[in-house]
Every structure is written in structure tokens, then in C-alpha cells.
């Protein structure tokens, strides 16, 4: 017999339901902006959600059927944009929430895009290079009708990289019978990628940390930083913080964390990490991810996965500033507790928007066929992030709301206006 779920269990699951939590904050933001209920009805779910089955011939000769998704949240402002993640825990709900977050990011940094997101349920850590290539190409064939340089432009996300983008671009170009670099961003430089794209998310987070530290009167030189996650965002971020004179006292990957109150040797760890960001397996003296989050520090950066700071541990966070480099690392209850405790929380939809910003630069360069230097990209990114941080910060001060609600207010406005001008609402 299947046991029924207790109320307490359902309640807990609801709190960790990223789609529901996003909808709650979107509703609040639209209410504060004075929009009628139909705007919420339009924005609470993606306009389009495609589920596909991808048969892949594995190296041992068997055929495995993978499930993939592509969600397009809102295309009133322009084509949808957002990454593709390869992860065993990908779900339809998560991809939907991630597509909404992409819309918010694009709204906050003012890009001519709406949000989109894709995901495939798989574990790339257990697949060969050739299996990954076949899966990547199969996914593009399965979603090709709804994507394209002026429709929906994918990019990297958790466990996908420039090689996967290259295969996907090649497959799309074959289907389209045309070289289509603007179909996808995060490509290798030789295939029309942009300087600075790989480190863009971490650069954006770094700029937010600088701005947040100024607001809180914290000197970055000598500040103690803890970074959860050592993937694309976390590893570059640890390096940038180290280079800025901060002391990175803790880092972690999916298997555990490393802690040294005197500061970790970041260059050594970067050198030893594998392509999935795993490094702690090389050490005996590890701590858990839970312990890592509660370490004494000035700045805490969750740069891994969802639902890491919740009502269960938010009271124990000892940082002065929390800057979210991951998507959705703090629950609504976690946000409330941190805010009440006077900890400045810089939300994901603002802090991690540097990635999509440089993706936009990459797409612009592809469309015009003229490429920029690394300095040009960095200068433009810096301007965008500083302005966006301050817009959200001022909104939060003026409207007396936390930074997450302020970011949602800034992020939904353009989409709501564009939908209205188009006559949708
Ligand atoms: N996957 C990244 C994000 O969550 C980047 C998306 C993009 O570059 O389009 O923001």
C-alpha cells in the first residue's frame, strides 16, 4: 500500500517547489507595480513547453531514450534566451521556473529577449564524449522547429560547455542548411564565441559583490569569502575574489567542502578540478556542504544548485552579504530570515545575469559579423551590471522591499509593458 503524504511533508515539498516560489514572488511584484491579475495569469507559466524523447545509441550498442525539455517563458520583448542543463535531477517544473528566471534576468539587465530554458535528464559524468555528442545533436533535432537565431537562442548551463554548444550549432546549421552561429551562444572562440563569455557569470557576480560590499562598508581586501560550488561560476569566482585580495576560506563541490581559515590555495584547486568542477575527492579533510554554508565569513556565494539556504539553516548563516551565483539557491523562507537578520541578499536573477549579458554580446557580434576585444566586452559588461545592481538596490530602498522582490519588480516591468503594447493583455 502507498502511504499517504502527511500535511507536513506536502508543506515542506511546497516550500522547495521552485516554480511555486517563483510564482509567489512574481505575483507580489506585479501587485506592487499595480498590474491587474491577468498579467500574472500570463506570466506565471511559460507560453510554450516542449517535451521530447531522444533516442541515443550508446557505446555498448544499446539504445537509451532520454527525456528533454525546452521552455519558452515569454517572447513579447524578443526571442527567448537561456541555457540547457544536463543533469539527472532535471524536471519539467524546474525547467519552467528556470525559464521564468531567464525572463527576469533579461528584464533586469535590459536585453531585447524573453526567457527560455532547456534541460535533459541525464548524467554526463557517466557518459562518454561520443554519447554526449549524439545526445546533444539528438536534442537539437528534436527541438529544431521551435528554436533559431530569431526565435529562441540556447546557451550553456549546469554540466554543459562550449564543446556541447559547438555540436549543437553544427547540428542546427545542417538542419537549417546555413551556417548559423547566432543559433546558440557560449560557443568556442573559433566558431563565433565571444571573448569573456566563459567567465562572464562569475565576472557579473564579482561586480555585484563589489557594489554590495560598498553599500555595506566592507573592504574586499582581506574579506573572508565562502563559495559553494566549483563549476563554471564558482571556480572563476573563487579566482576573481582571490585576485581582488579577498581570502577564500571555503569552497565545495557536489561531494563536500574544503575549509582553511587562513585561505585556500585557489590556483592549485583550479588546476586540479575536473571538467565537472570536482576537486574535493582528492582530499581527506573535508567538511559537508551544510557545514560550509554556515562558516564564519563576510561574503557567502551559493554557486551550485537550488534550495540550499532554507528556513532550516538561514538562522545559522554567518555572512554579512549573500550573493547568489546559482539559480534559486535560497527559498522564500530563507530569503525572509536573511532579510530580517539584516544580511544583504543579492538575488540570482540579478547577480548571475552576467552570463546572459555576454551571451547577448556574442549574438550581436554573430549578427553583425564583427568581433570585439576582451576589453570591450568587459567594459560593456561592467556598465550593465553596475547600473542593474543600483537600479534594483534603489528600488528595494525606495519601495521598502527586499532585494529579491525589487529585482522581480524591475525584471517583470518590461515584459508586462511589451505584452500590453502587443495587445496580449
Ligand atoms: N545558463 C545561464 C543562466 O542561467 C546563461 C544563459 C545564456 O547565456 O543565455 O543565466
Amino acid at each position: 500500500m502507498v502511504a499517504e503524504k502527511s500535511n507536513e511533508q506536502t508543506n515542506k515539498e511546497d516550500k522547495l517547489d521552485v516554480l511555486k516560489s517563483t510564482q509567489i514572488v512574481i505575483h507580489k511584484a506585479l501587485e506592487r507595480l499595480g498590474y491587474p491579475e491577468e498579467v500574472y495569469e500570463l506570466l506565471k507559466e511559460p507560453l510554450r513547453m516542449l517535451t521530447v524523447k531522444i533516442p541515443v545509441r550508446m557505446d555498448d550498442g544499446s539504445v537509451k531514450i532520454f527525456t528533454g525539455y525546452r521552455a519558452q517563458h515569454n517572447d513579447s520583448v524578443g526571442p527567448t534566451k537561456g541555457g540547457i542543463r544536463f543533469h539527472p535531477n532535471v524536471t519539467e517544473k524546474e525547467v519552467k521556473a528556470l525559464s521564468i528566471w531567464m525572463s527576469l534576468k533579461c528584464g533586469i539587465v535590459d536585453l531585447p529577449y524573453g526567457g527560455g530554458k532547456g534541460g535533459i535528464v541525464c548524467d554526463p559524468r557517466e557518459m562518454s564524449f561520443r554519447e554526449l555528442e549524439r545526445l546533444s545533436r539528438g536534442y537539437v533535432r528534436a527541438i529544431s522547429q521551435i528554436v533559431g537565431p530569431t526565435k529562441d537562442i540556447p546557451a550553456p548551463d549546469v554540466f554543459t560547455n562550449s564543446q556541447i554548444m559547438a555540436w549543437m550549432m553544427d547540428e542546427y546549421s545542417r538542419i537549417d542548411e546555413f551556417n548559423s552561429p547566432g543559433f546558440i551562444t557560449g560557443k568556442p572562440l573559433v566558431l563565433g564565441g565571444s571573448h569573456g563569455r566563459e567567465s562572464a557569470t562569475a565576472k557579473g557576480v564579482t561586480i555585484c559583490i563589489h557594489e554590495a560590499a560598498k553599500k555595506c562598508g566592507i573592504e574586499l581586501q582581506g574579506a573572508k569569502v565562502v563559495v559553494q560550488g566549483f563549476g563554471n561560476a564558482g571556480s572563476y569566482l573563487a579566482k576573481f575574489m582571490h585576485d581582488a585580495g579577498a581570502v577564500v576560506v571555503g569552497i565545495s563541490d557536489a561531494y563536500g567542502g574544503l575549509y582553511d581559515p587562513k585561505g585556500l590555495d585557489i590556483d592549485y584547486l583550479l588546476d586540479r578540478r575536473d571538467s565537472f568542477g570536482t576537486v574535493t575527492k582528492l582530499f581527506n579533510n573535508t567538511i559537508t556542504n551544510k557545514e560550509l554554508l554556515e562558516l564564519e565569513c563576510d561574503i557567502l556565494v551559493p554557486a551550485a544548485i537550488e534550495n540550499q539556504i532554507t528556513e532550516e539553516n538561514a538562522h545559522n548563516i554567518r555572512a554579512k552579504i549573500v550573493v547568489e551565483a546559482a539559480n534559486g539557491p535560497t527559498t522564500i523562507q530563507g530569503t525572509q530570515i536573511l532579510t530580517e537578520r539584516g544580511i544583504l541578499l543579492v538575488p540570482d536573477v540579478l547577480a548571475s545575469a552576467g552570463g546572459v549579458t555576454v551571451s547577448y554580446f556574442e549574438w550581436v557580434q554573430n549578427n553583425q559579423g564583427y568581433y570585439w576585444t576582451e576589453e570591450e566586452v568587459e567594459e560593456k559588461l561592467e556598465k550593465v551590471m553596475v547600473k542593474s545592481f543600483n537600479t534594483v538596490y534603489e528600488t528595494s530602498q525606495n519601495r521598502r522591499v527586499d532585494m529579491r522582490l525589487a529585482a522581480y519588480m524591475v525584471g517583470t516591468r518590461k515584459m508586462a509593458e511589451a505584452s500590453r503594447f502587443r495587445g496580449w493583455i
Side-chain angles (χ1 to χ4, degrees):
M1 203 174 90
V2 183
E4 260 184 54
K5 278 184 195 166
S6 68
N7 270 348
E8 204 179 307
Q9 229 175 342
T10 319
N11 200 357
K12 195 167 172 191
E13 275 169 25
D14 272 358
K15 285 178 182 168
L16 299 182
D17 181 329
V18 283
L19 181 59
K20 265 198 192 138
S21 324
T22 306
Q23 290 171 334
I24 292 171
V25 189
I26 291 229
H27 194 257
K28 265 197 206 159
L30 293 170
E31 218 171 45
R32 288 272 181 156
L33 293 169
Y35 284 112
E37 197 64 19
E38 63 257 29
V39 180
Y40 171 69
E41 286 302 315
L42 179 71
L43 300 184
K44 73 177 187 191
E45 291 248 356
L47 289 177
R48 217 168 284 116
M49 176 74 185
L50 183 63
T51 304
V52 294
K53 293 285 174 192
I54 314 152
V56 174
R57 176 80 57 192
M58 306 302 277
D59 291 346
D60 66 3
S62 67
V63 173
K64 204 167 160 185
I65 314 295
F66 292 88
T67 303
Y69 304 101
R70 185 75 193 169
Q72 299 175 341
H73 175 243
N74 186 284
D75 54 12
S76 59
V77 172
T80 46
K81 178 92 193 78
I84 300 166
R85 64 173 56 181
F86 283 10
H87 199 274
N89 299 341
V90 164
T91 65
E92 186 177 331
K93 256 193 194 165
E94 182 200 42
V95 174
K96 282 184 177 179
L98 285 160
S99 76
I100 302 179
W101 293 337
M102 285 313 302
S103 281
L104 295 167
K105 290 187 204 189
C106 295
I108 292 166
V109 290
D110 200 11
L111 306 181
Y113 293 138
K117 198 80 175 201
I120 302 180
V121 188
C122 66
D123 195 343
R125 290 165 293 195
E126 281 165 14
M127 294 172 70
S128 74
F129 205 61
R130 288 298 153 226
E131 287 168 346
L132 278 175
E133 176 176 354
R134 289 192 283 267
L135 178 63
S136 305
R137 291 183 183 277
Y139 177 71
V140 170
R141 286 195 298 276
I143 63 162
S144 69
Q145 286 187 337
I146 66 159
V147 290
T150 55
K151 285 195 216 170
D152 180 13
I153 306 130
D157 198 74
V158 173
F159 288 168
T160 52
N161 55 23
S162 59
Q163 172 62 79
I164 291 176
M165 299 304 110
W167 289 324
M168 290 188 170
M169 191 272 272
D170 183 66
E171 192 65 25
Y172 186 80
S173 296
R174 285 187 200 190
I175 296 169
D176 203 32
E177 297 181 347
F178 203 74
N179 185 36
S180 310
F183 155 65
I184 204 162
T185 59
K187 302 177 292 292
L189 271 183
V190 292
L191 291 180
S194 175
H195 282 291
R197 174 61 189 87
E198 202 168 286
S199 57
T201 308
K203 267 268 150 65
V205 177
T206 305
I207 297 165
C208 285
I209 292 177
H210 275 277
E211 294 302 303
K214 271 193 249 166
K215 303 285 181 210
C216 297
I218 294 174
E219 187 61 55
L220 265 193
Q221 183 73 36
K224 285 186 177 171
V225 180
V226 170
V227 184
Q228 185 200 29
F230 216 51
N232 172 272
S235 61
Y236 274 109
L237 182 74
K239 171 88 182 127
F240 293 152
M241 286 292 100
H242 178 68
D243 292 349
V247 186
V248 182
V249 294
I251 65 109
S252 72
D253 58 24
Y255 307 95
L258 301 173
Y259 172 58
D260 184 342
K262 292 201 281 312
L264 296 160
D265 186 346
I266 297 301
D267 289 325
Y268 176 76
L269 295 174
L270 288 173
D271 199 45
R272 301 301 307 273
R273 79 187 266 282
D274 73 9
S275 59
F276 296 105
T278 307
V279 70
T280 64
K281 279 186 173 170
L282 302 170
F283 299 84
N284 292 325
N285 227 347
T286 57
I287 58 172
T288 65
N289 261 290
K290 185 177 178 301
E291 289 165 335
L292 180 103
L293 292 170
E294 298 176 9
L295 287 175
E296 159 105 61
C297 63
D298 297 295
I299 300 158
L300 170 65
V301 184
I305 48 169
E306 286 120 42
N307 293 328
Q308 296 302 295
I309 304 178
T310 67
E311 60 190 335
E312 274 157 32
N313 62 355
H315 284 291
N316 305 335
I317 302 292
R318 289 193 278 166
K320 299 186 184 92
I321 304 175
V322 174
V323 183
E324 298 179 332
N327 288 306
T330 315
T331 63
I332 294 189
Q333 295 73 26
T335 301
Q336 199 183 338
I337 295 168
L338 294 185
T339 309
E340 280 164 10
R341 293 184 53 217
I343 297 171
L344 179 63
L345 174 70
V346 186
D348 49 2
V349 287
L350 165 63
S352 72
V356 70
T357 303
V358 177
S359 273
Y360 167 61
F361 297 161
E362 180 173 333
W363 181 75
V364 168
Q365 293 171 75
N366 294 150
N367 292 346
Q368 66 184 3
Y370 179 71
Y371 288 83
W372 308 345
T373 61
E374 183 148 11
E375 291 72 38
E376 281 175 279
V377 170
E378 284 189 4
E379 197 185 308
K380 288 185 169 72
L381 174 64
E382 167 101 23
K383 271 195 194 138
V384 170
M385 292 306 299
V386 169
K387 184 165 176 260
S388 306
F389 179 94
N390 285 293
T391 306
V392 172
Y393 188 79
E394 277 154 28
T395 306
S396 112
Q397 298 284 306
N398 297 340
R399 306 294 294 260
R400 294 173 193 283
V401 294
D402 63 57
M403 286 279 280
R404 187 179 314 282
L405 185 49
Y408 274 55
M409 288 165 71
V410 175
T412 47
R413 200 178 284 145
K414 192 170 165 191
M415 213 170 11
E417 283 309 295
S419 301
R420 184 133 77 182
F421 272 121
R422 282 182 186 266
W424 293 354
I425 39 176

